[in-house]
Structures are given as C-alpha cells and as structure tokens.
Amino acid sequence: MLVAVAASVGVSLASESGSATPAASTAATSTAPVEKRDLVATTSVDGTLGYADGWTMSSRLAGTLTWLAAEGAVVQPGHRLFAVDGNPTVLMRGRVPAYRVLQVGVDGPDVRQLERELRRLGYSGFTVDTSYTTATAAAVKDWQDDLGVAQTGVVDVGAVVFAAGPVRVGAHAVEVGAAVAPGGAVTAVSSTSRVVSVDLPV
C-alpha cells in the first residue's frame, strides 16, 4: 500500500528592510480505507473423471468363472458380483472383511454384520448380535434357497464380499469361462462416488 502526502510551503519575500518572515505552512492530506482481500489466481488444467475408492476384487473360490457382472454395472448389496462353478459371490454391506467360515458356534463382529444384512434383506427369526446360532443358520438356509445354492446354513469364505455400500464394476481382469484360483483377480470395482483426478506440480 502506497500513501502519498503532498505539502506546500509559502514563503514571504523580504521587506525593504531586508528581513524575511516565513508564512504559515499548511499540509494537504487525504485518507482512504484499508481493505483486506484474498489474492486469487486461476489457471486451467486437464483432469480425469472417474470413481473413488477403487480396488481389485479377487476370488476366494477355485474353479471356472461362470458369471460376472457387466463392466459399468452398479451392484447393490444383496446381489451377485460373480459366480464360480455356479456358486455366487454376493455383495453385502459391512466393514469387516469376510475372512472365515461362519457357522453355528462362531462369535464376532462379522457375525453381527451378516445378521444385520440378512435382516435388511427380509430374513427374520434370529437376533442381530455377535453369535451365530441355529436361528441364524435357519435364516441363512432360507437365503441360500433363494440364491439357488445348497442349503447348508453355513457361509463359506468366498460366498460373501463386504463393502461400504454399492459398488461399480470396472474393467474385468478375466472373462467368463476362465479358470480362477483363490486370490486371483476377477474385476476392478469402486464406489459410486464421482471424483476428478488432476496431476498438479507441488
């Protein structure tokens, strides 16, 4: 901020006697308000529109890939993502990964989230808690019957995948008819939230 101040000085000329008397001085000033503002600069860059929280989904089953949701499809909790030897892997909502067989006698937070999802899908007759009981197994049999698979009352590893919500299917790693093994990549998936990725220098 620059402030300019102008001053004028008057001088009285000497009289005939040779003396000089200075005239009264005056200073002309002006004011302006000081404002605080943001310094803003803009530039245009290229970005890529995509989806957030992407990851590669792997099979926990061994066999032949017999069905796979189409690229670009949005799979809702309770629906199939893919199938191996006709056995579907179903998406359910939850934070704890499916890491073990769920059956009568098992306890833990993964049991609670399975029961919560079964209840959300319309199955009842059990208490939503951390204990896998015979009532839970009966509801699982009803669910398996609707899926068209063997009614064992046991949820094997690979039968369910837990995620935060609906997922969007991305590029397939393999196609229907391919042989898959536990840990083998099947397809890319992501959340349904849109994001723009921009490569900017620091």
Side-chain angles (χ1 to χ4, degrees):
M1 178 180 69
L2 299 178
V3 178
V5 178
S8 62
V9 179
V11 178
S12 176
L13 295 176
S15 64
E16 290 181 355
S17 62
S19 64
T21 302
S25 63
T26 60
T29 61
S30 62
T31 62
V34 177
E35 299 180 4
K36 182 179 179 180
R37 300 179 180 177
D38 294 331
L39 181 62
V40 178
T42 62
T43 185
S44 297
V45 296
D46 293 329
T48 302
L49 183 63
Y51 293 86
D53 303 324
W55 76 96
T56 299
M57 184 167 292
S58 301
S59 174
R60 302 296 298 275
L61 306 173
T64 300
L65 188 68
T66 52
W67 186 85
L68 179 58
E71 293 181 357
V74 174
V75 178
Q76 299 290 336
H79 293 266
R80 300 182 302 165
L81 287 162
F82 57 88
V84 176
D85 289 349
N87 297 309
T89 294
V90 177
L91 175 68
M92 286 190 175
R93 197 184 308 269
R95 298 289 184 179
V96 182
Y99 67 96
R100 60 176 177 170
V101 176
L102 298 180
Q103 56 190 341
V104 175
V106 172
D107 293 285
D110 50 346
V111 174
R112 182 191 298 276
Q113 70 181 9
L114 173 69
E115 291 178 336
R116 185 176 60 241
E117 283 299 281
L118 290 172
R119 178 66 57 81
R120 188 186 64 81
L121 293 173
Y123 301 96
S124 59
F126 58 91
T127 301
V128 177
D129 55 18
T130 59
S131 298
Y132 198 112
T133 65
T134 55
T136 307
V140 168
K141 288 180 180 180
D142 291 340
W143 171 62
Q144 291 171 329
D145 184 36
D146 292 337
L147 288 176
V149 299
Q151 301 170 45
T152 62
V154 175
V155 181
D156 292 319
V157 175
V160 175
V161 169
F162 291 102
V167 299
R168 180 185 181 276
V169 179
H172 293 163
V174 292
E175 298 299 329
V176 171
V180 294
V186 175
T187 185
V189 295
S190 66
S191 74
T192 57
S193 300
R194 303 302 298 268
V195 295
V196 175
S197 300
V198 178
D199 185 14
L200 288 177
V202 177

